Amino acid sequence: MADAKSRDVPLDKIRNIGIIAHIDAGKTTTTERILFYTGKTYKIGDIDEGTTQMDWMAQEKERGITIVSAATTAYWTHTSQSSAGQEDLYRINIIDTPGHVDFTAEVERSLRVLDGGITVLDAEEGVQSQSETVWRQADKYKVPRICFINKMDKLGADFLATVRSIEDRLGANPAIMVLPIGVEHTFKGIVDLILRKSYVWGSDDLGAEFDVSDEIPEDLKNQVEKYRHKLVEKIAETDDKLLEKYLSGEEPTVEELKTALRKAVIAYKLVPIYAGSSLRNKGVQPLLDAVVDYLPSPLDLREVKGINPKTGEEEVRKLTPDDPLAGLAFKIQIDPHVGKLTYFRVYSGKIASGSYIYNSTKNKTERVGRILLMHANTREEIEEGLSGEIVALVGLKETVTGDTLCDEKKPIILEKISFPEPVISLAIEPKTKIDQEKLGFALKRLSEEDPTFVIKSNHETGQTIISGIGELQLEVMVDRMKREFGVLANVGAPQVAYKETIAKMAQAEGKYIKQSGGRGQYGHCFLRVEPKPRGEGYEFVNAIKGGAIPAEFITSIQKGVKESMENGVLLGYPMVDMSVTVYDGSYHDVDSSDIAFKIAASQALQAATRKAGITLLEPIMKVEVTTPSEFMGDVIGDLSAKRGQILGTEERARATIILAMVPLEELSGYATTLRSMSQGRASYYMEPSHYEEVPKNIVEQMLSKSTFTGRVAAQQ
């Protein structure tokens, strides 16, 4: 474990990085090697054997995939620096993120708090769909990156083809830093283009020992000079002084090149490209050097911006311990030993155990019981968390993912984290009365951990509905309920999470009057509904003039609207992408109540949406099928029959990649269909893309089968 004395490294020697990639590109394997070479672990973990440090959950070990992002801290002395003194020691805080699209929330929230990222790519596959998704997520939060082309020893590995796919598919500007020595089974090392040095890994199985020499293999000399020239040119173009020097025919020094490249990487102008084979323990140490050389420290980013909740003005915090405390809670994890852990990125100031901190998002004060430094699922207690660190806090009750924690006297709200919408649901029922109580507790805990895991009760059937991004995520959640919380439950078949919306503007009146001796009930309002662009969500507007409805009843109208929208009107699916305006109404001095206005609002919404023409929306998935070319025709034919829209095909190595948009409803059991169609040789990947209107004939089929009782007539 990291001892407390070595934590106190200067801010410019801290790196907060994440490892992001497509599933099976080798993220966890790369992280395991980093931990071994930095001396964090004494044994290299193996995914196939289930001995990795970062994949510590039982479900991760069984499935050989990463489900939750794991944080750790390691220390690295630059390879090219001979002294191993304190001044050369760098502290690297690493988050290993999942590659599977079902756990995309883990990637999203990790990227929000990281300063830099390593994107791992498979040398044979190149840029895959999920690589694009995580790249876009990193773009959103402006995270500087390095690319590591992994699996250079794999059959079909092609370094330059992968670089081209980085350019074409990611729109990045790659700076090739190394060239591989050998390919596939002959791969044994790399040539560093800036230093003109060879790094060759010999027979040492663990890869800790390697030879560094000025000798460049004969067959690579011309290529090295060609690509070095290109690299120097690319770096010089980002820096005016360097460009001037370069154009005058003067060779920039190594130091000048590194300084200019560092600036260019932090400004998202260039992406350095490295290569290796993590599984064969080759190429990881130069990658660590690159993290130190080119990825930003908290000081490089200088400041973080937010909003003052009291004034609405922009607030700025310098990323130093001297500024007031500001940080983001980016992940909740339930630990069986210490309870609820809140992962927290400290941007500015410091946080001490036992102190009180202010949650500016919720306007609540919380007490920090303990502060932990995490290494996957093991912990080390520390007295305070410093600026630039990622720590776990124990004792916070109200704080959830995306909340800002800060100094109460200097409040700030940092940019929240946005998560994708759930697209698939399951009905879940406890087996016994005892399980009923346990189920409620387990679901609450799990939804705290994962913001894309949504729980709803179906009032019609009395069932609990759980929703998420994909089947695998729900499967893992059900498995965790059983193992961690001891809940036995019956689970229904996965259902697609449809949504309802309206086609045009309409308005209607809702009136609820009840006289039954004593005090009666009176609520009366007029609502106008209008469609909003796809993905815009719901908006409530209060347009009451002259006190026609007192202000205290407006919240009741809002509640009535919201409840009705959640329960749907056509087939019982939630309503989205519309604005609801209350513009008139009346009240009674004695009989008006919250409940009466709530009912009136619900009636008005039902009536208005009937007039507005209700349409059904379904989730559309982006599907990428990798198949041997001889089965391409069959696969395309099958996708078209599933109402799929074929976007294009491309040849990659010995396979054909088919890109398509397909409704999720049609993809049930697709894995089996694809296997039998391709003799088990094709594979596919899918991720949620957007929502689209369901064709009328399919809506009619669904209406004829549905048992939903709160229905209104479908509009033509």
Side-chain angles (χ1 to χ4, degrees):
M1 295 304 294
D3 52 28
K5 68 178 188 301
S6 60
R7 275 179 58 234
D8 198 17
V9 296
L11 269 175
D12 65 334
K13 291 201 165 37
I14 290 179
R15 301 288 182 270
N16 289 311
I17 64 162
I19 299 192
I20 55 174
H22 187 89
I23 191 166
D24 282 344
K27 290 177 303 302
T28 302
T29 306
T30 305
T31 312
E32 291 294 324
R33 300 313 182 263
I34 290 174
L35 295 180
F36 179 73
Y37 299 134
T38 55
K40 186 76 189 181
T41 54
Y42 61 88
K43 181 175 177 286
I44 292 181
D46 187 291
I47 289 175
D48 295 334
E49 290 172 15
T51 54
T52 59
Q53 293 280 316
M54 303 305 272
D55 287 352
W56 53 271
M57 279 171 69
Q59 292 84 349
E60 293 179 315
K61 289 183 186 294
E62 285 167 12
R63 296 165 190 265
I65 58 169
T66 304
I67 292 171
V68 295
S69 53
T72 189
T73 296
Y75 295 85
W76 179 245
T77 304
H78 203 296
T79 307
S80 63
Q81 294 170 338
S82 50
S83 99
Q86 181 70 31
E87 70 276 14
D88 295 326
L89 195 68
Y90 287 82
R91 175 175 177 187
I92 304 176
N93 302 319
I94 307 165
I95 295 184
D96 174 30
T97 64
H100 202 287
V101 68
D102 285 23
F103 310 106
T104 190
E106 289 285 337
V107 184
E108 186 84 33
R109 56 181 165 200
S110 303
L111 284 169
R112 171 66 185 85
V113 297
L114 292 169
D115 302 334
I118 299 174
T119 303
V120 183
L121 296 165
D122 182 314
E124 184 215 3
E125 302 283 353
V127 172
Q128 295 164 278
S129 270
Q130 183 69 358
S131 324
E132 288 184 57
T133 306
V134 294
W135 192 269
R136 284 199 303 275
Q137 286 173 306
D139 278 344
K140 182 162 95 185
Y141 298 117
K142 297 189 167 48
V143 178
R145 275 142 283 173
I146 289 173
C147 281
F148 180 60
I149 297 177
N150 189 24
K151 305 191 180 182
M152 282 303 304
D153 57 328
K154 191 176 167 186
L155 198 65
D158 190 329
F159 176 73
L160 292 174
T162 305
V163 174
R164 283 196 295 280
S165 73
I166 293 171
E167 238 169 335
D168 298 342
R169 292 190 68 173
L170 303 178
N173 187 4
I176 297 175
M177 305 298 292
V178 300
L179 284 177
I181 302 173
V183 69
E184 298 177 351
H185 66 282
T186 63
F187 174 72
K188 59 180 182 182
I190 54 172
V191 176
D192 184 311
L193 295 181
I194 285 188
L195 300 173
R196 289 194 176 97
K197 286 187 185 295
S198 297
Y199 291 71
V200 176
W201 281 262
S203 58
D204 178 7
D205 287 345
L206 299 175
E209 302 293 320
F210 53 94
D211 294 323
V212 181
S213 77
D214 295 330
E215 285 292 309
I216 291 167
E218 203 59 46
D219 57 333
L220 277 180
K221 278 184 177 167
N222 290 339
Q223 208 182 6
V224 165
E225 286 313 309
K226 176 184 158 189
Y227 278 95
R228 190 179 194 276
H229 180 71
K230 282 186 181 176
L231 175 65
V232 173
E233 200 169 85
K234 261 193 180 175
I235 297 171
E237 280 169 2
T238 65
D239 186 292
D240 291 344
K241 277 188 184 165
L242 205 60
L243 187 60
E244 208 173 300
K245 186 174 180 180
Y246 176 70
L247 290 174
S248 66
E250 211 180 322
E251 177 78 5
T253 66
V254 166
E255 211 46 54
E256 284 174 329
L257 286 169
K258 281 190 167 184
T259 306
L261 180 56
R262 180 176 181 82
K263 278 186 190 157
V265 172
I266 293 169
Y268 325 112
K269 289 178 184 171
L270 288 173
V271 177
I273 312 285
Y274 284 80
S277 165
S278 297
L279 191 64
R280 301 279 173 265
N281 313 319
K282 295 178 175 74
V284 175
Q285 294 92 333
L287 179 68
L288 276 165
D289 289 343
V291 165
V292 162
D293 285 337
Y294 308 120
L295 288 183
S297 72
L299 279 185
D300 291 307
L301 300 168
R302 292 195 176 89
E303 58 187 33
V304 61
K305 290 178 179 165
I307 301 288
N308 185 321
K310 291 177 180 167
T311 63
E313 302 289 309
E314 187 174 81
E315 286 273 329
V316 174
R317 292 281 182 277
K318 287 194 169 52
L319 302 189
T320 66
D322 307 326
D323 255 36
L325 172 72
L328 197 74
F330 68 94
K331 173 178 163 82
I332 306 291
Q333 187 181 320
I334 310 300
D335 186 289
H337 305 291
V338 291
K340 184 173 162 184
L341 289 176
T342 306
Y343 280 73
F344 181 62
R345 162 72 199 265
V346 190
Y347 280 108
S348 61
K350 50 181 95 165
I351 182 169
S353 65
S355 64
Y356 286 87
I357 53 171
Y358 177 60
N359 182 332
S360 54
T361 314
K362 293 233 174 28
N363 190 16
K364 291 213 165 94
T365 302
E366 297 251 50
R367 186 177 178 272
V368 178
R370 294 156 65 198
I371 301 177
L372 305 173
L373 204 56
M374 300 300 291
H375 173 57
N377 65 329
T378 56
R379 334 165 261 282
E380 176 191 357
E381 196 156 338
I382 52 178
E383 282 308 305
E384 59 177 6
L386 309 169
S387 160
E389 288 194 320
I390 292 170
V391 294
L393 309 177
V394 180
L396 306 189
K397 290 183 171 65
E398 304 283 342
T399 302
V400 297
T401 299
D403 285 0
T404 300
L405 300 172
C406 59
D407 184 330
E408 194 162 359
K409 296 188 188 75
K410 295 275 188 179
I412 184 171
I413 294 183
L414 303 170
E415 182 196 355
K416 277 188 77 79
I417 310 171
S418 54
F419 295 109
E421 289 271 303
V423 292
I424 194 155
S425 310
L426 283 180
I428 186 162
E429 287 173 351
K431 283 193 173 172
T432 65
K433 195 84 179 131
I434 300 161
D435 287 318
Q436 178 83 50
E437 286 166 22
K438 286 187 193 167
L439 179 70
F441 176 72
L443 289 174
K444 185 173 175 294
R445 283 300 182 78
L446 291 170
S447 66
E448 276 179 6
E449 279 195 23
D450 187 344
T452 60
F453 180 61
V454 179
I455 303 145
K456 264 181 68 181
S457 290
N458 185 327
H459 300 300
E460 292 235 318
T461 59
Q463 285 175 318
T464 301
I465 309 289
I466 57 174
S467 311
I469 305 289
E471 285 185 46
L472 179 64
Q473 178 197 16
L474 297 181
E475 204 179 299
V476 166
M477 288 298 189
V478 170
D479 192 38
R480 285 186 65 188
M481 278 181 233
K482 191 170 148 189
R483 292 193 198 195
E484 291 170 35
F485 301 93
V487 177
L488 293 175
N490 297 320
V491 179
Q495 302 292 323
V496 171
Y498 291 96
K499 293 186 182 329
E500 296 176 13
T501 191
I502 53 174
K504 57 182 188 277
M505 189 189 95
Q507 48 200 37
E509 172 188 22
K511 204 172 206 178
Y512 180 68
I513 303 171
K514 196 174 179 189
Q515 295 299 139
S516 56
R519 187 179 163 185
Q521 297 284 1
Y522 184 94
H524 177 216
C525 63
F526 288 87
L527 296 182
R528 182 167 56 248
V529 295
E530 291 171 82
K532 289 182 80 171
R534 207 67 73 242
E536 288 269 311
Y538 150 71
E539 179 188 27
F540 181 81
V541 181
N542 175 12
I544 294 288
K545 302 271 190 306
I549 301 173
E552 64 261 33
F553 294 130
I554 299 294
T555 28
S556 309
I557 293 173
Q558 196 171 352
K559 277 183 189 161
V561 165
K562 204 148 174 39
E563 272 180 29
S564 267
M565 283 180 66
E566 278 172 9
N567 295 324
V569 179
L570 184 65
L571 282 157
Y573 296 109
M575 301 199 77
V576 293
D577 301 338
M578 56 192 268
S579 78
V580 180
T581 305
V582 54
Y583 62 92
D584 201 0
S586 62
Y587 73 104
H588 190 282
D589 284 338
V590 178
D591 290 351
S592 280
S593 65
D594 285 336
I595 189 79
F597 271 101
K598 206 169 152 186
I599 295 169
S602 181
Q603 288 175 349
L605 186 87
Q606 291 249 353
T609 48
R610 277 180 203 147
K611 294 179 189 171
I614 303 163
T615 56
L616 198 63
L617 301 174
E618 63 181 340
I620 305 293
M621 308 301 278
K622 177 183 168 191
V623 179
E624 186 177 278
V625 181
T626 305
T627 173
S629 304
E630 61 257 41
F631 304 114
M632 182 177 93
D634 293 349
V635 172
I636 289 178
D638 180 62
L639 288 171
S640 301
K642 293 182 174 351
R643 300 192 281 131
Q645 181 192 349
I646 309 296
L647 300 179
T649 61
E650 66 177 89
E651 297 297 317
R652 199 184 294 162
R654 286 172 290 276
T656 301
I657 315 290
I658 302 162
L659 278 172
M661 291 289 181
V662 189
L664 177 59
E665 175 64 44
E666 303 284 343
L667 289 166
S668 171
Y670 186 58
T672 314
T673 311
L674 189 63
R675 270 202 299 273
S676 60
M677 205 185 308
S678 65
Q679 300 166 9
R681 289 163 65 194
S683 62
Y684 82 105
Y685 162 88
M686 66 176 179
E687 64 181 58
S689 172
H690 61 284
Y691 271 80
E692 252 177 39
E693 219 171 291
V694 179
K696 280 217 168 53
N697 61 324
I698 293 175
V699 175
E700 280 161 16
Q701 285 173 22
M702 290 169 74
L703 284 166
S704 64
K705 289 176 192 166
S706 170
T707 55
F708 177 61
T709 53
R711 177 168 317 119
V712 301
Q715 302 292 311
Q716 296 308 309

